[in-house]
Amino acid sequence: MTDAQETAADPSPLAPSQPPSPSDADGPPAALPAPVPLLAPREGVPEVVASEAALAETVARYAAGSGPLAVDAERASGYRYGQRAYLVQLRREGAGTALIDPVACPDLSGLGEVVEDAEWLLHAATQDLPCLRDIGMVPRRLFDTELAGRLAGFARVGLGAMVENVLGYSLEKGHSAVDWSTRPLPEPWLRYAALDVELLADLRDALEEELAGQGKLDWAHQEFDAIASAPPAPPRKDPWRRTSGMHKVRRRRQLAVVRELWNARDKIAQRRDISPGKVLPDAAIVEAALALPVDVQALGRLRGFSGRAGRRQLDQWQSAVDRARALTETELPQPGAAPSGPPPPRAWADRDPAAAARLSKARADISARAEELRLPQENLITPDTVRRLCWEPPADHGPAAVSAALAGYGARPWQIEQVTPLLVEALDAPAA
C-alpha cells in the first residue's frame, strides 16, 4: 500500500476523489473536488537528528530501507549568508521520515553513500542539489516532480499545487519563507517540513503514469539524467555586476563605487552570517554610485543611508566610496563585457534582417509545437539555443547539421527530434 493510500485509509480524513488529469486541473474550479487537508505526517513528527549517534542510527535505518528516497532541504534565504541547508528531510519505504540538522551534523556523506543507488525524488531539484552537494549528498539518478509536472502540461507546478491537483490533498503553506536557521526549530515548522516529503513517492508514481500515457516518460528521464550529471556551477565572475539596478550605472568611476561597496558589504555579511541585503540594500549601493558622495555628511543624506546607520557604519561605507574615487583610470573596472552570443532580438531587424526572419519563424513554429505537446516552450527548447542557432546557423541547413548544432548547445535527444524539422524550415525563411 502506498503512502497516499494509507493516508486515505485513515478514518480521520475523507478520501479524495479520483485525482484530476492535467487538463482537468486547468478547468474551472467548480470541476475540482475539494482537497483533503493533510495535517500531520502519518507516523508523527520525528525528532530532529542532531548528534553523531542519532545520525549513525539514521544511516543504518536508511541503508535497510527500500525503494526511492524522497529528499528536500530548507535554506535560510534572505536571513543568512549563502545558500547552505539548515534542515534536510528524507523519507523512504521501511525507514520512515527523518529530519536532519546539517548544522549539528555537517557531513552527511555516509548517509549519501548508503542511498546512492536509490532514485532520489526531489521537487525543483536544481534548487536543492547545490546545498545537498555541500554536505555530501549527491544523487546518481533522480526524479524531479516539478519538472515532471511541467512536461506533463500542468499549469501550476509548485509542490502544494501538484499534490492537490494530482493526489487530492492540500499541504500547509505557511512556513516556506521562515528563517530555517532558527534553533530550536518550532514544532509547526518541523511538521510542515516532514509533510514536504510525505507524499513525494506517490506524486512521483502518479506523474510517471501520466507521462507514460502522454508518451513523454523517456523525455523526462533524459531531463532528469541531465540534471543529475551536470557539474557544479562555476563561481560567478564579477558577482558585484549583478547588483540590482546596475543598468542605471554608466560611468566607470560609478562602477568602481558599486564594486567597492559590494565587496565591503559581502565581507561584513559573511563575517556576521547574515544576508547581504540586510547589511546594505542594493538600491543604496546604486544610489551612492550615482551620487559619488565626497564625505560622510553627503553620504548620510542619500536614500538608503539616512536614518539607518550610525556614524561608524557611514564611515565604513564612505571609505569604500573614497577607495573608488582614488583609483587611477587604469584601475577602474571596464563596462560589462558584451554578452557572448547574439545581440538582443530587438536589434536584429536592423543588424541582420535575414536572422530576424529566421528567429521570427522559429519562435512561431516552436511556440505552436509546444502548445501541441502541452508543455512550456522553454522546456521544449531553450530560447537561448534558438537565438544562437538563428543568429549563426550552420553552413549546411540540413537536418544532420542542425541536429549536431543543437546537441552542441546541450539539447537533449528528445528535444532535437522535436525541433530539428522546425528549425530546418526556419533557417531558410526569407527576409521580410
Side-chain angles (χ1 to χ4, degrees):
M1 183 179 289
T2 66
D3 288 352
Q5 289 169 334
E6 289 184 5
T7 305
D10 190 325
S12 55
L14 295 175
S17 302
Q18 180 69 24
S21 68
S23 57
D24 295 332
D26 296 337
L32 295 176
V36 176
L38 196 62
L39 302 178
R42 189 170 49 260
E43 299 103 356
V45 179
E47 292 289 328
V48 176
V49 175
S51 70
E52 290 303 317
L55 179 59
E57 187 276 331
T58 301
V59 170
R61 185 155 46 97
Y62 276 80
S66 61
L69 176 75
V71 186
D72 192 20
E74 306 294 347
R75 298 175 298 280
S77 303
Y79 297 94
R80 294 290 182 175
Y81 185 87
Q83 293 295 315
R84 68 170 297 178
Y86 283 93
L87 186 70
V88 174
Q89 306 103 280
L90 306 173
R91 184 171 180 83
R92 192 181 193 190
E93 187 71 28
T97 297
L99 303 178
I100 303 176
D101 179 358
V103 178
C105 302
D107 182 5
L108 300 187
S109 57
L111 177 60
E113 289 172 3
V114 302
V115 295
E116 65 180 0
D117 291 331
E119 178 187 63
W120 291 28
L121 315 180
L122 298 102
H123 194 82
T126 54
Q127 296 183 17
D128 288 340
L129 288 179
C131 69
L132 290 170
R133 183 181 289 110
D134 289 343
I135 54 178
M137 299 279 288
V138 183
R140 288 186 177 179
R141 54 193 180 97
L142 60 84
F143 190 106
D144 186 332
T145 50
E146 191 236 24
L147 180 52
R150 291 182 184 277
L151 295 175
F154 284 88
R156 299 165 59 226
V157 293
L159 180 60
M162 292 297 294
V163 167
E164 183 173 322
N165 289 334
V166 177
L167 301 177
Y169 293 93
S170 62
L171 296 175
E172 186 178 353
K173 303 174 182 178
H175 304 302
S176 60
V178 299
D179 181 2
W180 287 96
S181 68
T182 301
R183 293 295 183 272
L185 286 165
E187 196 276 342
W189 299 11
L190 296 174
R191 183 173 66 250
Y192 163 91
L195 288 173
D196 270 358
V197 293
E198 180 83 3
L199 297 181
L200 271 184
D202 299 275
L203 182 59
R204 174 240 184 267
D205 291 345
L207 288 172
E208 180 180 62
E209 183 177 354
E210 181 67 38
L211 289 166
Q214 295 185 26
K216 299 176 181 176
L217 185 57
D218 182 59
W219 302 0
H221 285 307
Q222 290 180 37
E223 294 297 310
F224 303 155
D225 289 345
I227 294 173
S229 62
R236 288 195 178 112
K237 182 180 179 182
D238 293 341
W240 58 271
R241 292 186 185 273
R242 298 176 62 87
T243 303
S244 180
M246 276 290 288
H247 63 281
K248 303 175 186 177
V249 181
R250 305 288 186 184
R251 293 156 48 194
R252 293 175 62 201
R253 185 75 58 185
Q254 294 172 334
L255 290 173
V257 172
V258 173
R259 182 179 64 184
E260 293 297 330
L261 283 172
W262 192 97
N263 286 333
R265 179 185 70 173
D266 194 64
K267 290 178 181 177
I268 295 169
Q270 188 170 15
R271 184 179 71 247
R272 294 169 57 188
D273 191 19
I274 60 174
S275 171
K278 290 186 175 295
V279 176
L280 188 68
D282 280 8
I285 291 177
V286 171
E287 188 80 10
L290 296 176
L292 289 172
V294 296
D295 54 32
V296 168
Q297 288 71 30
L299 179 67
R301 290 192 291 268
L302 297 178
R303 182 177 56 183
F305 293 92
S306 60
R308 61 167 275 119
R311 174 71 191 220
R312 183 163 177 247
Q313 286 181 295
L314 286 176
D315 281 343
Q316 68 184 356
W317 303 132
Q318 185 61 43
S319 294
V321 175
D322 291 342
R323 287 195 296 272
R325 293 174 62 91
L327 294 175
T328 66
E329 285 294 319
T330 57
E331 294 173 318
L332 295 176
Q334 296 295 326
S340 61
R346 63 180 178 272
W348 287 28
D350 292 331
R351 295 183 57 177
D352 191 337
R358 292 192 292 263
L359 182 63
S360 178
K361 173 69 171 168
R363 281 176 161 176
D365 290 351
I366 288 172
S367 177
R369 184 62 178 142
E371 188 171 345
E372 291 174 8
L373 295 171
R374 291 177 50 232
L375 50 78
Q377 184 174 334
E378 63 271 18
N379 289 113
L380 177 57
I381 192 71
T382 66
D384 180 67
T385 296
V386 176
R387 287 193 297 268
R388 288 174 182 271
L389 192 71
C390 289
W391 184 253
E392 291 185 327
D396 177 3
H397 292 181
V402 170
S403 294
L406 290 171
Y409 290 129
R412 265 69 74 189
W414 76 270
Q415 295 174 313
I416 295 171
E417 179 183 6
Q418 290 295 322
V419 303
T420 291
L422 306 178
L423 291 171
V424 166
E425 187 174 345
L427 293 182
D428 289 325

PDB file of all heavy atoms in Angstrom, residues 27 46 91 105 107 126 152 165 210 222 242-243 266 323 326 329 334 347 426:
ATOM      1  N   GLY A  27      -9.104  23.341 -15.755  1.00  0.00           N
ATOM      2  CA  GLY A  27     -10.500  23.682 -15.978  1.00  0.00           C
ATOM      3  C   GLY A  27     -11.051  24.584 -14.896  1.00  0.00           C
ATOM      4  O   GLY A  27     -10.326  25.056 -14.012  1.00  0.00           O
ATOM      5  N   PRO A  46       9.016  13.380  13.500  1.00  0.00           N
ATOM      6  CA  PRO A  46      10.161  12.730  14.143  1.00  0.00           C
ATOM      7  C   PRO A  46      11.055  13.725  14.870  1.00  0.00           C
ATOM      8  O   PRO A  46      11.047  14.919  14.585  1.00  0.00           O
ATOM      9  CB  PRO A  46      10.904  12.100  12.966  1.00  0.00           C
ATOM     10  CG  PRO A  46      10.556  12.963  11.799  1.00  0.00           C
ATOM     11  CD  PRO A  46       9.145  13.434  12.029  1.00  0.00           C
ATOM     12  N   ARG A  91      12.580  10.647   3.297  1.00  0.00           N
ATOM     13  CA  ARG A  91      11.584   9.607   3.552  1.00  0.00           C
ATOM     14  C   ARG A  91      11.849   8.440   2.607  1.00  0.00           C
ATOM     15  O   ARG A  91      12.120   8.638   1.422  1.00  0.00           O
ATOM     16  CB  ARG A  91      10.160  10.120   3.364  1.00  0.00           C
ATOM     17  CG  ARG A  91       9.103   9.078   3.709  1.00  0.00           C
ATOM     18  CD  ARG A  91       7.695   9.644   3.737  1.00  0.00           C
ATOM     19  NE  ARG A  91       6.739   8.607   4.074  1.00  0.00           N
ATOM     20  CZ  ARG A  91       6.454   8.208   5.305  1.00  0.00           C
ATOM     21  NH1 ARG A  91       7.078   8.784   6.344  1.00  0.00           N
ATOM     22  NH2 ARG A  91       5.580   7.253   5.538  1.00  0.00           N
ATOM     23  N   CYS A 105      25.127  18.215  12.234  1.00  0.00           N
ATOM     24  CA  CYS A 105      25.700  17.066  11.514  1.00  0.00           C
ATOM     25  C   CYS A 105      26.087  17.527  10.114  1.00  0.00           C
ATOM     26  O   CYS A 105      25.354  17.276   9.134  1.00  0.00           O
ATOM     27  CB  CYS A 105      24.687  15.925  11.434  1.00  0.00           C
ATOM     28  SG  CYS A 105      24.084  15.336  13.031  1.00  0.00           S
ATOM     29  N   ASP A 107      28.378  16.674   7.944  1.00  0.00           N
ATOM     30  CA  ASP A 107      28.883  15.732   6.948  1.00  0.00           C
ATOM     31  C   ASP A 107      27.896  14.576   6.818  1.00  0.00           C
ATOM     32  O   ASP A 107      27.836  13.694   7.669  1.00  0.00           O
ATOM     33  CB  ASP A 107      30.258  15.209   7.358  1.00  0.00           C
ATOM     34  CG  ASP A 107      30.854  14.257   6.319  1.00  0.00           C
ATOM     35  OD1 ASP A 107      30.230  14.081   5.252  1.00  0.00           O
ATOM     36  OD2 ASP A 107      31.935  13.691   6.582  1.00  0.00           O
ATOM     37  N   THR A 126      17.035  21.411  -8.994  1.00  0.00           N
ATOM     38  CA  THR A 126      18.184  22.298  -9.160  1.00  0.00           C
ATOM     39  C   THR A 126      18.290  23.315  -8.028  1.00  0.00           C
ATOM     40  O   THR A 126      19.368  23.872  -7.803  1.00  0.00           O
ATOM     41  CB  THR A 126      18.102  23.043 -10.502  1.00  0.00           C
ATOM     42  OG1 THR A 126      16.839  23.717 -10.606  1.00  0.00           O
ATOM     43  CG2 THR A 126      18.253  22.072 -11.664  1.00  0.00           C
ATOM     44  N   ALA A 152       4.363  17.263 -18.193  1.00  0.00           N
ATOM     45  CA  ALA A 152       3.028  16.679 -18.305  1.00  0.00           C
ATOM     46  C   ALA A 152       1.960  17.705 -18.639  1.00  0.00           C
ATOM     47  O   ALA A 152       0.818  17.333 -18.895  1.00  0.00           O
ATOM     48  CB  ALA A 152       2.673  15.956 -17.006  1.00  0.00           C
ATOM     49  N   ASN A 165      -3.604  18.838  -7.056  1.00  0.00           N
ATOM     50  CA  ASN A 165      -4.204  18.510  -8.342  1.00  0.00           C
ATOM     51  C   ASN A 165      -4.030  17.044  -8.725  1.00  0.00           C
ATOM     52  O   ASN A 165      -4.879  16.490  -9.426  1.00  0.00           O
ATOM     53  CB  ASN A 165      -3.601  19.393  -9.444  1.00  0.00           C
ATOM     54  CG  ASN A 165      -4.048  20.831  -9.340  1.00  0.00           C
ATOM     55  OD1 ASN A 165      -5.108  21.117  -8.800  1.00  0.00           O
ATOM     56  ND2 ASN A 165      -3.239  21.745  -9.852  1.00  0.00           N
ATOM     57  N   GLU A 210       1.236   9.386 -15.730  1.00  0.00           N
ATOM     58  CA  GLU A 210       0.738  10.423 -16.630  1.00  0.00           C
ATOM     59  C   GLU A 210       1.695  10.648 -17.797  1.00  0.00           C
ATOM     60  O   GLU A 210       1.268  10.749 -18.960  1.00  0.00           O
ATOM     61  CB  GLU A 210       0.547  11.731 -15.848  1.00  0.00           C
ATOM     62  CG  GLU A 210       0.008  12.899 -16.670  1.00  0.00           C
ATOM     63  CD  GLU A 210      -1.421  12.672 -17.121  1.00  0.00           C
ATOM     64  OE1 GLU A 210      -2.217  12.117 -16.337  1.00  0.00           O
ATOM     65  OE2 GLU A 210      -1.737  13.059 -18.261  1.00  0.00           O
ATOM     66  N   GLN A 222      15.407  11.686 -19.736  1.00  0.00           N
ATOM     67  CA  GLN A 222      16.544  12.398 -20.318  1.00  0.00           C
ATOM     68  C   GLN A 222      16.813  13.706 -19.562  1.00  0.00           C
ATOM     69  O   GLN A 222      17.973  14.069 -19.324  1.00  0.00           O
ATOM     70  CB  GLN A 222      16.280  12.684 -21.794  1.00  0.00           C
ATOM     71  CG  GLN A 222      16.294  11.469 -22.689  1.00  0.00           C
ATOM     72  CD  GLN A 222      16.036  11.830 -24.146  1.00  0.00           C
ATOM     73  OE1 GLN A 222      16.484  12.865 -24.638  1.00  0.00           O
ATOM     74  NE2 GLN A 222      15.306  10.968 -24.855  1.00  0.00           N
ATOM     75  N   ARG A 242      26.011  41.946 -10.702  1.00  0.00           N
ATOM     76  CA  ARG A 242      24.618  41.515 -10.630  1.00  0.00           C
ATOM     77  C   ARG A 242      23.806  42.323  -9.633  1.00  0.00           C
ATOM     78  O   ARG A 242      22.663  41.986  -9.328  1.00  0.00           O
ATOM     79  CB  ARG A 242      24.552  40.022 -10.283  1.00  0.00           C
ATOM     80  CG  ARG A 242      25.207  39.132 -11.333  1.00  0.00           C
ATOM     81  CD  ARG A 242      25.209  37.677 -10.904  1.00  0.00           C
ATOM     82  NE  ARG A 242      23.867  37.148 -10.731  1.00  0.00           N
ATOM     83  CZ  ARG A 242      23.136  36.622 -11.709  1.00  0.00           C
ATOM     84  NH1 ARG A 242      23.633  36.545 -12.934  1.00  0.00           N
ATOM     85  NH2 ARG A 242      21.932  36.142 -11.478  1.00  0.00           N
ATOM     86  N   THR A 243      24.387  43.398  -9.116  1.00  0.00           N
ATOM     87  CA  THR A 243      23.647  44.270  -8.199  1.00  0.00           C
ATOM     88  C   THR A 243      22.391  44.787  -8.882  1.00  0.00           C
ATOM     89  O   THR A 243      22.433  45.274 -10.009  1.00  0.00           O
ATOM     90  CB  THR A 243      24.532  45.452  -7.760  1.00  0.00           C
ATOM     91  OG1 THR A 243      25.730  44.935  -7.152  1.00  0.00           O
ATOM     92  CG2 THR A 243      23.810  46.343  -6.770  1.00  0.00           C
ATOM     93  N   ASP A 266      29.845  42.428   1.305  1.00  0.00           N
ATOM     94  CA  ASP A 266      29.947  40.982   1.289  1.00  0.00           C
ATOM     95  C   ASP A 266      30.821  40.476   2.429  1.00  0.00           C
ATOM     96  O   ASP A 266      30.510  39.454   3.055  1.00  0.00           O
ATOM     97  CB  ASP A 266      30.516  40.524  -0.055  1.00  0.00           C
ATOM     98  CG  ASP A 266      30.337  39.041  -0.288  1.00  0.00           C
ATOM     99  OD1 ASP A 266      29.167  38.606  -0.383  1.00  0.00           O
ATOM    100  OD2 ASP A 266      31.349  38.321  -0.368  1.00  0.00           O
ATOM    101  N   ARG A 323      37.756  54.836  -1.671  1.00  0.00           N
ATOM    102  CA  ARG A 323      38.697  53.961  -2.380  1.00  0.00           C
ATOM    103  C   ARG A 323      38.404  53.986  -3.871  1.00  0.00           C
ATOM    104  O   ARG A 323      39.325  54.011  -4.702  1.00  0.00           O
ATOM    105  CB  ARG A 323      38.601  52.528  -1.844  1.00  0.00           C
ATOM    106  CG  ARG A 323      39.197  52.324  -0.469  1.00  0.00           C
ATOM    107  CD  ARG A 323      39.397  50.848  -0.150  1.00  0.00           C
ATOM    108  NE  ARG A 323      38.131  50.115  -0.099  1.00  0.00           N
ATOM    109  CZ  ARG A 323      37.373  49.996   0.981  1.00  0.00           C
ATOM    110  NH1 ARG A 323      37.722  50.605   2.118  1.00  0.00           N
ATOM    111  NH2 ARG A 323      36.253  49.297   0.950  1.00  0.00           N
ATOM    112  N   ALA A 326      39.599  57.204  -5.471  1.00  0.00           N
ATOM    113  CA  ALA A 326      41.050  57.370  -5.537  1.00  0.00           C
ATOM    114  C   ALA A 326      41.709  56.504  -6.613  1.00  0.00           C
ATOM    115  O   ALA A 326      42.907  56.645  -6.870  1.00  0.00           O
ATOM    116  CB  ALA A 326      41.663  57.026  -4.176  1.00  0.00           C
ATOM    117  N   GLU A 329      42.710  55.839 -13.616  1.00  0.00           N
ATOM    118  CA  GLU A 329      41.874  55.445 -14.755  1.00  0.00           C
ATOM    119  C   GLU A 329      42.122  53.997 -15.158  1.00  0.00           C
ATOM    120  O   GLU A 329      41.198  53.271 -15.528  1.00  0.00           O
ATOM    121  CB  GLU A 329      42.137  56.372 -15.947  1.00  0.00           C
ATOM    122  CG  GLU A 329      41.519  57.753 -15.813  1.00  0.00           C
ATOM    123  CD  GLU A 329      39.996  57.700 -15.821  1.00  0.00           C
ATOM    124  OE1 GLU A 329      39.434  56.918 -16.617  1.00  0.00           O
ATOM    125  OE2 GLU A 329      39.376  58.429 -15.027  1.00  0.00           O
ATOM    126  N   GLN A 334      36.157  48.016 -16.244  1.00  0.00           N
ATOM    127  CA  GLN A 334      35.621  48.263 -17.568  1.00  0.00           C
ATOM    128  C   GLN A 334      34.114  48.035 -17.554  1.00  0.00           C
ATOM    129  O   GLN A 334      33.588  47.331 -16.692  1.00  0.00           O
ATOM    130  CB  GLN A 334      36.277  47.318 -18.593  1.00  0.00           C
ATOM    131  CG  GLN A 334      37.768  47.544 -18.765  1.00  0.00           C
ATOM    132  CD  GLN A 334      38.073  48.907 -19.358  1.00  0.00           C
ATOM    133  OE1 GLN A 334      37.322  49.427 -20.177  1.00  0.00           O
ATOM    134  NE2 GLN A 334      39.189  49.482 -18.937  1.00  0.00           N
ATOM    135  N   ALA A 347      17.284  44.182 -31.794  1.00  0.00           N
ATOM    136  CA  ALA A 347      18.233  44.824 -32.705  1.00  0.00           C
ATOM    137  C   ALA A 347      18.441  44.039 -33.996  1.00  0.00           C
ATOM    138  O   ALA A 347      19.130  44.506 -34.896  1.00  0.00           O
ATOM    139  CB  ALA A 347      19.578  45.011 -31.994  1.00  0.00           C
ATOM    140  N   ALA A 426      12.893  27.024 -40.568  1.00  0.00           N
ATOM    141  CA  ALA A 426      13.064  28.420 -40.181  1.00  0.00           C
ATOM    142  C   ALA A 426      14.354  29.005 -40.732  1.00  0.00           C
ATOM    143  O   ALA A 426      14.415  30.201 -41.074  1.00  0.00           O
ATOM    144  CB  ALA A 426      13.033  28.555 -38.665  1.00  0.00           C
TER     145      ALA A 426
END
